[in-house]
Amino acid sequence: MNFSKKTLIWGAVAVSALGTQAPAADWFAKDNLQPGHDPTVYRDENGYILMSTNNNLSMWTSPDMVKWTAKGRIFNDSPQWLKDAVGGKTDGIWAPDLFHFNNQYGVFYCGSVFGKRTSAIGVTTNANLDFSNPAQGWTDQGEVTRTTNSNNYNAIDADVVVTPDGQYWMTYGSWNAGGIRLIKLDPKTGKQASDDKTNYQIATRGGSGIEGPSLIEHGGQYFLFTAWDVCCKQGDEIEQTTYKTAMGRADKVNGTYKDRGGKELNSGGGTILMQRYSRYVGPGGGEAFKDLNRIRFVHHYYDLNGDKFNHIHIRDLVFTDDNWPEMGQPFLGRYLSAEAEHGIMTRAVSGDITFNYTKDASNGEYVGYINTKGSKIRLPMNIMQAGDYLLRYRYANGGDAEATHKVTVNGKTQTVKLPVTGAWGTFPEKSVVYIPVTLKRGGNFIEVEPDQNFAELDRIDFLRIIRDTIPTNGFDNGIKVRLTDKDEFAIKEGGYAIFENAVLDSLKDVSEVFLQVKSASSGKIQLREGSKDGTAFMTCDLSNASPADNGWSMAKCTGDMSFKGTKDLYLTVSGVPGETILGNLVFQSRVVCTQEPCGDPASSSSTEPSSAESSSGTTGLDGIAGVAGKPHLLGFSREAGVRFSAPVKYVLADMQGNILRVGYGEHIAAESLNAGVYVLRYAGKAQAIKLK
């Protein structure tokens, strides 16, 4: 459906109120500067495990990818077989890959000597990885493959991928004409499979710099990421580092891989995803890995304005509708935030769009000189909950006249007014405007272009408007949680899930709250503010759940009904045996209406929301216009549709928040809808109705 701007933002809170609220958390980011080269990250249900080069397979763990804790090392020295394979002494253990296969864990690692092809890849395994002590319990299984100087490729930089039908493959390789290789693995041993001994070449630059391959499957296709050119010059030699990240795609794991322009990677092709920008030199040596609800890419870079040495970034890979990945933001502690300096820059003229540094900007950086038409900042973002959002647009306008930017979200453009702020390069709390948008689940692409006069951009935060439903599968991250093969949210005892930047002001006159649940007859689910240990303001008792449709039950929740403000919400679980499946958290002004005639939910003393102009001065946040006599619901069924007593603006949505019908009138056609529960919004109220 295509809706007007007014349609997209019905029921949203007035942005003038948002401007005075305290933010859900610290809006200013700071890079954590975790050191490392050639990193690998494994997602455990308890958090993340990080490994890197030249530390004898040391491990770090983190619940949130921000604070990392050292957890020991697997080896005290290179295994003797590896030393023998490379001529007596290695230059260290390089580029590990931590992977789960055949109900065990494996670390694939390599050793070599700089400038030579006397190299080897080995694997060490562990049947039971303990997140609290992950470096313990490993058994070295020895060699997987090796090369000598007679080979035209190099056995380093291993990375393992699994296909949907359960086959395991390992890519590796470095420089030289033979480039990047691929072999099939035996899932039981981690060694080369006996049923396919082919050593496939899947990418080459004819001897120029290519290494550090990583493979991932997404949408039935395979993506090969490689690092190009010169790595690892740091400190006083940092300017010699030209490392960058390139990519290609194939329909089969063994190729043929082609870049976005159609050129084969075996003929030097590759789409550049990331290269030097701002203070970030040599972003490469990376690995794609699957997280709970998205694909991420971990890599190293060198900080030109800091210590000039190696650090780790973990980014989202954001996929377009035609299944091509773009590099998202490095994770700096917030999932629903975009730092302008990490966008994809298109410059119409040399010198346009500059990186500027100040302690007054988030992460110490902002983007200036957004001056020339044709220049653009593109910000790919993964959004886990579809629906209406406000973009909190932090800018500076030190000029003497209002400026405007063109902001395009998934192809829909708005002109955003940016009033004078009084100074350049400073970004206080008041230096924001709010832009209403509708976002989809998955990849979203925001583009910023100059329009009239000038303004600088620091960051954009994404605020989700909660009207009547929070789908639990729209979580941002969590511990001991997962998505099932049916895209349902599952959580274990002691687990929690994060829902950032929830705007609760649209939840008015809430009298009852229910939680959809499967596979649990006891325990409690709680909503907490600010952290997993924050104040619990809502408790859902699973022991009182009543049977509903399609295997779901509805658990009643009790607590503070005075919802307001912008908050980070944490969903926690206690007393639940095993794992439970959760659906939607539903806020109701009345109980679900199951048959006609249905009472009028609008019969309260609350007034209709009035139209309010946004801080950008471009788009009104209209409430649903009132009609004399307060239109009320006469009745509803799938066959007859929904009928009102008088014409009214309405929105009919499913329980996941997807808008199905929108318009103005006395009747909503419903015969094509499936039987089930829907949310009807009209006359400033929300009501759940059950169509049979």
Side-chain angles (χ1 to χ4, degrees):
M1 297 182 183
N2 291 318
F3 305 125
S4 68
K5 291 178 182 176
K6 289 185 177 180
T7 298
L8 291 172
I9 53 179
W10 278 4
V13 297
V15 294
S16 57
L18 279 175
T20 62
Q21 290 180 1
D26 187 357
W27 297 98
F28 284 82
K30 185 177 180 180
D31 210 325
N32 65 0
L33 300 178
Q34 171 69 21
H37 264 124
D38 309 320
T40 180
V41 167
Y42 176 76
R43 174 68 207 219
D44 183 83
E45 69 172 14
N46 297 288
Y48 301 87
I49 301 174
L50 169 69
M51 303 179 70
S52 61
T53 278
N54 274 349
N55 46 46
N56 289 325
L57 302 186
S58 293
M59 290 183 160
W60 289 261
T61 63
S62 174
D64 56 11
M65 298 185 297
V66 175
K67 296 179 180 179
W68 295 94
T69 301
K71 292 290 186 176
R73 63 188 62 181
I74 296 177
F75 294 153
N76 291 320
D77 192 9
S78 298
Q80 188 60 47
W81 75 263
L82 182 59
K83 294 179 182 179
D84 294 342
V86 302
K89 183 180 180 181
T90 71
D91 280 339
I93 299 178
W94 299 344
D97 177 38
L98 174 56
F99 201 81
H100 185 262
F101 69 100
N102 193 42
N103 297 317
Q104 65 181 336
Y105 300 86
V107 173
F108 295 81
Y109 61 91
C110 65
S112 186
V113 176
F114 282 108
K116 296 184 178 182
R117 294 189 296 278
T118 51
S119 309
I121 294 170
V123 62
T124 179
T125 60
N126 193 335
N128 297 291
L129 182 64
D130 181 357
F131 186 81
S132 65
N133 195 11
Q136 300 301 308
W138 294 88
T139 301
D140 188 39
Q141 305 297 338
E143 178 184 321
V144 176
T145 190
R146 72 167 71 187
T147 54
T148 68
N149 282 328
S150 64
N151 295 106
N152 70 344
Y153 57 92
N154 203 3
I156 65 170
D157 296 354
D159 186 77
V160 179
V161 66
V162 61
T163 65
D165 62 353
Q167 296 181 31
Y168 291 87
W169 297 76
M170 184 181 78
T171 183
Y172 64 98
S174 166
W175 289 70
N176 308 293
I180 304 302
R181 317 301 288 194
L182 179 78
I183 60 174
K184 189 178 180 182
L185 296 182
D186 183 329
K188 294 182 179 180
T189 65
K191 306 295 182 69
Q192 187 167 8
S194 59
D195 62 342
D196 188 346
K197 289 291 188 179
T198 306
N199 191 308
Y200 298 91
Q201 178 184 290
I202 56 176
T204 181
R205 297 181 72 203
S208 296
I210 184 171
E211 60 184 11
S214 175
L215 276 173
I216 201 80
E217 181 271 333
H218 180 268
Q221 294 177 298
Y222 297 88
F223 298 85
L224 174 64
F225 302 88
T226 58
W228 284 12
D229 299 332
V230 178
C231 175
C232 310
K233 301 294 185 180
Q234 49 189 333
D236 293 339
E237 298 179 322
I238 190 172
E239 294 289 352
Q240 299 177 40
T241 289
T242 57
Y243 230 30
K244 55 184 66 71
T245 299
M247 173 274 303
R249 184 180 76 180
D251 293 327
K252 298 189 299 183
V253 68
N254 58 352
T256 301
Y257 286 88
K258 298 180 181 180
D259 64 20
R260 211 163 173 175
K263 186 174 182 180
E264 293 187 9
L265 269 61
N266 260 333
S267 299
T271 298
I272 303 298
L273 290 182
M274 188 168 51
Q275 57 189 324
R276 176 176 175 170
Y277 68 97
S278 185
R279 60 185 176 90
Y280 307 96
V281 176
E287 176 194 70
F289 68 97
K290 291 190 176 182
D291 205 339
L292 300 173
N293 50 8
R294 65 192 85 197
I295 293 178
R296 288 196 152 114
F297 190 82
V298 57
H299 66 92
H300 68 253
Y301 71 94
Y302 306 94
D303 186 355
L304 182 64
N305 291 1
D307 59 10
K308 296 182 173 59
F309 283 87
N310 56 87
H311 302 285
I312 300 296
H313 269 165
I314 301 175
R315 300 171 181 262
D316 276 7
L317 287 171
V318 184
F319 286 83
T320 62
D321 289 342
D322 59 350
N323 206 30
W324 286 103
E326 296 184 14
M327 279 295 178
Q329 295 278 309
F331 183 73
L332 302 179
R334 304 287 298 173
Y335 301 94
L336 296 183
S337 299
E339 300 286 343
E341 65 270 13
H342 292 300
I344 302 165
M345 307 299 176
T346 300
R347 293 174 172 85
V349 297
S350 177
D352 203 51
I353 303 186
T354 62
F355 301 103
N356 303 281
Y357 310 100
T358 172
K359 62 181 179 59
D360 294 323
S362 180
N363 201 35
E365 301 175 74
Y366 66 95
V367 175
Y369 285 86
I370 313 171
N371 295 351
T372 308
K373 290 188 177 181
S375 291
K376 183 186 300 181
I377 306 170
R378 182 173 170 90
L379 298 164
M381 289 291 295
N382 279 326
I383 302 294
M384 296 299 106
Q385 180 179 327
D388 290 349
Y389 283 71
L390 293 174
L391 303 187
R392 192 173 188 268
Y393 197 87
R394 186 185 291 273
Y395 75 100
N397 178 0
D400 55 8
E402 181 179 77
T404 56
H405 281 171
K406 295 287 188 182
V407 178
T408 302
V409 178
N410 299 329
K412 298 180 180 179
T413 301
Q414 299 185 49
T415 299
V416 180
K417 294 182 179 179
L418 304 171
V420 172
T421 61
W424 298 106
T426 60
F427 305 91
E429 271 306 309
K430 65 180 181 179
S431 189
V432 296
V433 296
Y434 292 86
I435 307 168
V437 298
T438 297
L439 302 177
K440 58 184 178 179
R441 191 168 184 223
N444 292 261
F445 298 87
I446 295 86
E447 295 182 337
V448 175
E449 300 173 83
D451 187 47
Q452 299 295 324
N453 299 323
F454 310 126
E456 301 163 333
L457 181 59
D458 182 18
R459 69 183 268 156
I460 300 174
D461 296 290
F462 298 74
L463 280 59
R464 63 178 113 199
I465 298 170
I466 307 299
R467 293 203 181 92
D468 41 51
T469 306
I470 298 178
T472 57
N473 69 357
F475 71 105
D476 296 309
N477 208 329
I479 296 297
K480 295 185 178 179
V481 299
R482 68 183 182 95
L483 289 176
T484 71
D485 57 2
K486 296 180 180 179
D487 198 29
E488 295 173 340
F489 174 81
I491 187 168
K492 290 183 179 180
E493 173 69 19
Y496 63 86
I498 304 166
F499 300 81
E500 280 187 358
N501 296 350
V503 181
L504 304 177
D505 296 79
S506 291
L507 295 173
K508 297 180 179 179
D509 301 322
V510 174
S511 61
E512 292 184 298
V513 180
F514 292 91
L515 177 65
Q516 289 178 301
V517 59
K518 283 183 183 178
S519 308
S521 58
S522 63
K524 294 181 179 180
I525 304 292
Q526 293 184 306
L527 271 187
R528 299 177 183 271
E529 180 181 346
S531 75
K532 66 181 179 63
D533 300 315
T535 301
F537 63 90
M538 182 65 59
T539 299
C540 307
D541 188 347
L542 305 189
S543 65
N544 67 17
S546 301
D549 294 328
N550 302 317
W552 292 98
S553 296
M554 299 294 283
K556 189 172 183 179
C557 309
T558 58
D560 183 4
M561 300 290 182
S562 59
F563 305 107
K564 62 181 180 179
T566 303
K567 304 180 185 298
D568 290 341
L569 302 180
Y570 281 69
L571 185 151
T572 64
V573 60
S574 60
V576 175
E579 183 180 67
T580 187
I581 308 293
L582 303 182
N584 298 302
L585 188 65
V586 182
F587 303 88
Q588 294 183 178
S589 56
R590 287 183 183 271
V591 297
V592 174
C593 241
T594 59
Q595 61 185 6
E596 54 178 330
C598 185
D600 174 18
S603 57
S604 73
S605 59
S606 64
T607 59
E608 301 292 343
S610 60
S611 176
E613 188 179 50
S614 75
S615 296
S616 66
T618 58
T619 307
L621 293 179
D622 295 351
I624 300 176
V627 179
K630 287 247 186 213
H632 59 274
L633 190 59
L634 293 177
F636 54 88
S637 69
R638 291 176 64 203
E639 182 178 352
V642 181
R643 293 175 286 115
F644 300 101
S645 63
V648 66
K649 286 184 177 180
Y650 60 79
V651 175
L652 183 69
D654 63 20
M655 297 304 287
Q656 283 71 44
N658 299 307
I659 296 176
L660 306 175
R661 302 283 191 274
V662 61
Y664 176 82
E666 299 180 25
H667 177 258
I668 306 174
E671 65 272 10
S672 64
L673 298 177
N674 295 326
V677 178
Y678 296 84
V679 176
L680 177 65
R681 292 194 283 270
Y682 72 99
K685 295 291 178 178
Q687 177 172 327
I689 62 172
K690 189 173 184 180
L691 297 177
K692 298 180 179 180

